[in-house]
Amino acid sequence: MAAEFAIFGVEEARVRAVRSVAGACRDRRAFPSGEALAEEADSALDGAAADGADPESPLVGAMRRAAQETAAREVVLALPLSRLLVRIVRVPVDSRDEAGMRAAEALARISPFPDEELAVGAEVVQENETELVVLAAALPEASAAEIGAALDAAGVRVTRVDVTALGRLRAFWPRIAPDGAPGRRLVLMNLDGADWDVVVLDD
Protein backbone atom coordinates (compact mmCIF):
# COMPACT_ATOMS: atom_id res chain seq x y z
CA MET A 1 0.00 0.00 0.00
CA ALA A 2 1.13 3.56 -0.70
CA ALA A 3 2.91 5.47 2.06
CA GLU A 4 0.12 8.05 1.96
CA PHE A 5 -3.56 7.19 1.62
CA ALA A 6 -7.03 8.26 2.76
CA ILE A 7 -9.29 6.37 5.16
CA PHE A 8 -13.06 6.96 5.14
CA GLY A 9 -14.71 5.61 8.28
CA VAL A 10 -18.49 5.14 8.20
CA GLU A 11 -20.02 5.81 11.62
CA GLU A 12 -23.55 6.11 12.96
CA ALA A 13 -23.77 9.88 12.57
CA ARG A 14 -20.82 10.84 10.41
CA VAL A 15 -18.22 9.89 7.84
CA ARG A 16 -14.76 10.38 9.31
CA ALA A 17 -11.94 11.12 6.85
CA VAL A 18 -8.33 10.56 7.91
CA ARG A 19 -5.14 10.93 5.90
CA SER A 20 -2.49 8.35 6.78
CA VAL A 21 1.12 9.34 6.08
CA ALA A 22 3.89 6.82 6.76
CA GLY A 23 1.68 5.00 9.27
CA ALA A 24 0.65 8.13 11.19
CA CYS A 25 -2.90 9.52 11.08
CA ARG A 26 -3.12 13.18 10.11
CA ASP A 27 -5.67 15.70 8.89
CA ARG A 28 -8.72 14.20 10.61
CA ARG A 29 -12.10 15.57 9.51
CA ALA A 30 -15.71 14.58 10.27
CA PHE A 31 -18.70 15.02 7.96
CA PRO A 32 -22.11 14.60 9.66
CA SER A 33 -24.45 12.04 8.10
CA GLY A 34 -27.04 11.30 10.81
CA GLU A 35 -29.31 13.36 13.06
CA ALA A 36 -27.06 16.38 12.70
CA LEU A 37 -28.25 16.61 9.10
CA ALA A 38 -31.98 16.26 9.82
CA GLU A 39 -32.85 19.88 9.01
CA GLU A 40 -30.58 19.92 5.98
CA ALA A 41 -32.07 16.65 4.70
CA ASP A 42 -35.62 17.97 5.16
CA SER A 43 -34.70 21.10 3.24
CA ALA A 44 -33.15 19.04 0.45
CA LEU A 45 -36.23 16.83 0.33
CA ASP A 46 -38.48 19.88 -0.08
CA GLY A 47 -36.26 21.27 -2.80
CA ALA A 48 -36.02 17.95 -4.62
CA ALA A 49 -39.79 17.57 -4.55
CA ALA A 50 -40.13 21.03 -6.05
CA ASP A 51 -37.78 20.41 -8.98
CA GLY A 52 -38.54 16.70 -9.47
CA ALA A 53 -35.04 15.48 -8.49
CA ASP A 54 -34.27 12.59 -6.17
CA PRO A 55 -33.22 13.80 -2.68
CA GLU A 56 -29.65 13.03 -1.58
CA SER A 57 -29.38 10.74 1.43
CA PRO A 58 -27.36 11.99 4.43
CA LEU A 59 -24.72 9.27 3.88
CA VAL A 60 -24.33 10.22 0.21
CA GLY A 61 -24.01 13.88 1.16
CA ALA A 62 -21.40 13.17 3.83
CA MET A 63 -19.39 10.89 1.53
CA ARG A 64 -19.51 13.42 -1.29
CA ARG A 65 -18.28 16.23 0.98
CA ALA A 66 -15.52 14.02 2.39
CA ALA A 67 -14.29 13.24 -1.14
CA GLN A 68 -14.46 16.87 -2.25
CA GLU A 69 -12.70 18.35 0.76
CA THR A 70 -9.96 15.72 0.93
CA ALA A 71 -9.56 15.38 -2.86
CA ALA A 72 -9.47 11.60 -2.31
CA ARG A 73 -10.13 9.28 -5.25
CA GLU A 74 -8.99 5.99 -3.74
CA VAL A 75 -9.75 5.19 -0.10
CA VAL A 76 -9.54 2.52 2.56
CA LEU A 77 -13.09 2.03 3.83
CA ALA A 78 -13.36 1.45 7.60
CA LEU A 79 -16.66 -0.01 8.80
CA PRO A 80 -18.11 -0.61 12.27
CA LEU A 81 -18.86 -4.13 13.45
CA SER A 82 -22.59 -3.32 13.23
CA ARG A 83 -22.28 -3.19 9.42
CA LEU A 84 -20.45 -6.51 9.12
CA LEU A 85 -20.79 -10.19 9.81
CA VAL A 86 -17.77 -11.22 11.88
CA ARG A 87 -16.81 -14.58 13.33
CA ILE A 88 -13.77 -16.24 14.92
CA VAL A 89 -13.14 -19.68 13.39
CA ARG A 90 -10.71 -22.29 14.69
CA VAL A 91 -9.15 -24.53 12.05
CA PRO A 92 -6.74 -27.45 12.57
CA VAL A 93 -3.25 -26.67 11.33
CA ASP A 94 -3.34 -29.60 8.90
CA SER A 95 -6.49 -28.07 7.31
CA ARG A 96 -4.86 -24.72 6.56
CA ASP A 97 -5.92 -24.88 2.91
CA GLU A 98 -9.55 -25.10 4.01
CA ALA A 99 -9.44 -21.99 6.23
CA GLY A 100 -11.21 -19.78 3.68
CA MET A 101 -13.92 -22.34 3.03
CA ARG A 102 -14.53 -22.95 6.73
CA ALA A 103 -14.71 -19.20 7.35
CA ALA A 104 -17.33 -18.81 4.62
CA GLU A 105 -19.36 -21.70 6.04
CA ALA A 106 -19.27 -20.20 9.55
CA LEU A 107 -20.52 -16.83 8.32
CA ALA A 108 -23.21 -18.44 6.18
CA ARG A 109 -24.60 -20.14 9.31
CA ILE A 110 -25.06 -16.82 11.14
CA SER A 111 -26.09 -14.69 8.17
CA PRO A 112 -29.63 -13.23 8.38
CA PHE A 113 -29.68 -13.38 4.56
CA PRO A 114 -29.64 -17.14 3.80
CA ASP A 115 -30.08 -16.67 0.03
CA GLU A 116 -27.19 -14.24 -0.28
CA GLU A 117 -23.76 -15.45 -1.37
CA LEU A 118 -21.24 -13.68 0.87
CA ALA A 119 -17.83 -12.39 -0.20
CA VAL A 120 -15.76 -13.43 2.81
CA GLY A 121 -12.38 -12.14 3.93
CA ALA A 122 -10.37 -14.36 6.28
CA GLU A 123 -7.17 -13.62 8.19
CA VAL A 124 -5.14 -15.80 10.55
CA VAL A 125 -4.74 -13.84 13.79
CA GLN A 126 -3.13 -16.55 15.91
CA GLU A 127 -1.44 -19.89 15.29
CA ASN A 128 -0.10 -22.63 17.52
CA GLU A 129 1.01 -26.24 17.01
CA THR A 130 -2.53 -27.58 16.65
CA GLU A 131 -4.81 -24.87 15.28
CA LEU A 132 -5.24 -21.60 13.43
CA VAL A 133 -7.45 -18.87 14.84
CA VAL A 134 -9.07 -17.17 11.86
CA LEU A 135 -10.98 -13.89 11.82
CA ALA A 136 -13.68 -14.05 9.15
CA ALA A 137 -15.69 -11.03 7.98
CA ALA A 138 -18.18 -10.22 5.24
CA LEU A 139 -20.18 -7.16 4.21
CA PRO A 140 -23.84 -8.14 3.68
CA GLU A 141 -25.51 -6.88 0.54
CA ALA A 142 -27.96 -4.79 2.58
CA SER A 143 -25.08 -2.72 3.97
CA ALA A 144 -23.05 -2.81 0.79
CA ALA A 145 -25.82 -1.36 -1.38
CA GLU A 146 -26.21 1.81 0.69
CA ILE A 147 -22.49 2.36 1.14
CA GLY A 148 -21.77 1.50 -2.50
CA ALA A 149 -24.27 4.09 -3.71
CA ALA A 150 -22.63 6.72 -1.49
CA LEU A 151 -19.15 5.83 -2.76
CA ASP A 152 -20.32 5.96 -6.39
CA ALA A 153 -21.92 9.35 -5.84
CA ALA A 154 -18.69 10.62 -4.27
CA GLY A 155 -16.63 9.26 -7.17
CA VAL A 156 -14.18 7.30 -4.99
CA ARG A 157 -12.87 3.76 -5.36
CA VAL A 158 -12.28 1.43 -2.41
CA THR A 159 -8.89 -0.27 -2.32
CA ARG A 160 -9.47 -2.17 0.95
CA VAL A 161 -12.15 -2.66 3.61
CA ASP A 162 -11.12 -2.68 7.26
CA VAL A 163 -12.94 -3.13 10.56
CA THR A 164 -12.79 0.12 12.55
CA ALA A 165 -12.59 -1.68 15.90
CA LEU A 166 -9.51 -3.64 14.81
CA GLY A 167 -7.75 -0.46 13.76
CA ARG A 168 -8.50 1.07 17.16
CA LEU A 169 -7.23 -2.06 18.92
CA ARG A 170 -3.95 -1.72 17.05
CA ALA A 171 -3.70 1.98 17.91
CA PHE A 172 -4.42 1.40 21.60
CA TRP A 173 -2.42 -1.82 21.92
CA PRO A 174 0.38 -0.34 24.08
CA ARG A 175 -2.29 0.70 26.61
CA ILE A 176 -4.26 -2.56 26.38
CA ALA A 177 -1.27 -4.85 26.90
CA PRO A 178 1.60 -2.65 28.12
CA ASP A 179 3.62 -5.56 29.50
CA GLY A 180 2.80 -8.09 26.76
CA ALA A 181 2.01 -10.70 29.41
CA PRO A 182 -0.41 -13.50 28.46
CA GLY A 183 -3.89 -13.60 29.95
CA ARG A 184 -7.46 -12.55 29.24
CA ARG A 185 -8.44 -8.96 28.60
CA LEU A 186 -11.86 -7.41 28.01
CA VAL A 187 -11.90 -4.26 25.87
CA LEU A 188 -14.98 -2.02 25.62
CA MET A 189 -15.05 0.57 22.83
CA ASN A 190 -17.67 3.21 22.10
CA LEU A 191 -16.30 4.46 18.80
CA ASP A 192 -19.16 6.54 17.42
CA GLY A 193 -21.27 7.42 20.45
CA ALA A 194 -23.97 4.91 19.48
CA ASP A 195 -22.93 1.26 19.71
CA TRP A 196 -20.53 -0.46 22.09
CA ASP A 197 -18.03 -2.99 20.77
CA VAL A 198 -16.90 -5.72 23.17
CA VAL A 199 -13.65 -7.58 22.41
CA VAL A 200 -12.31 -10.48 24.47
CA LEU A 201 -8.60 -11.11 23.99
CA ASP A 202 -6.95 -14.34 25.12
CA ASP A 203 -3.13 -14.27 25.32
Side-chain angles (χ1 to χ4, degrees):
M1 178 172 286
E4 181 174 342
F5 57 93
I7 304 168
F8 282 8
V10 176
E11 299 179 3
E12 181 70 21
R14 67 190 62 83
V15 170
R16 193 179 301 277
V18 179
R19 188 165 58 95
S20 178
V21 180
C25 292
R26 300 178 182 173
D27 191 23
R28 298 175 175 86
R29 306 187 200 181
F31 304 88
S33 64
E35 291 181 4
L37 286 187
E39 291 184 9
E40 184 177 326
D42 288 343
S43 176
L45 185 62
D46 292 340
D51 62 18
D54 290 332
E56 185 175 80
S57 77
L59 180 59
V60 168
M63 197 75 76
R64 194 192 300 274
R65 283 191 294 277
Q68 289 171 347
E69 295 193 26
T70 61
R73 290 294 168 262
E74 292 188 343
V75 301
V76 173
L77 184 65
L79 297 177
L81 288 169
S82 59
R83 293 266 187 176
L84 300 161
L85 292 174
V86 180
R87 189 84 172 189
I88 293 291
V89 182
R90 297 180 183 274
V91 179
V93 169
D94 56 8
S95 300
R96 182 185 299 271
D97 294 342
E98 300 176 8
M101 179 188 70
R102 295 197 182 194
E105 290 174 348
L107 289 183
R109 286 195 293 271
I110 65 170
S111 174
F113 313 103
D115 297 329
E116 179 183 336
E117 185 172 343
L118 299 171
V120 176
E123 182 175 345
V124 176
V125 294
Q126 188 179 36
E127 178 176 351
N128 57 38
E129 295 179 357
T130 60
E131 68 177 6
L132 311 175
V133 180
V134 180
L135 177 71
L139 179 62
E141 201 170 283
S143 290
E146 180 191 11
I147 295 172
L151 292 165
D152 286 344
V156 296
R157 186 175 73 87
V158 174
T159 58
R160 192 178 77 203
V161 177
D162 280 346
V163 181
T164 306
L166 298 183
R168 295 296 178 91
L169 278 177
R170 176 183 288 271
F172 294 138
W173 191 252
R175 293 164 58 186
I176 295 170
D179 55 2
R184 170 164 288 190
R185 293 174 173 86
L186 176 67
V187 183
L188 301 174
M189 294 182 287
N190 183 222
L191 302 180
D192 60 8
D195 299 318
W196 284 88
D197 295 327
V198 181
V199 182
V200 180
L201 301 166
D202 284 320
D203 298 332

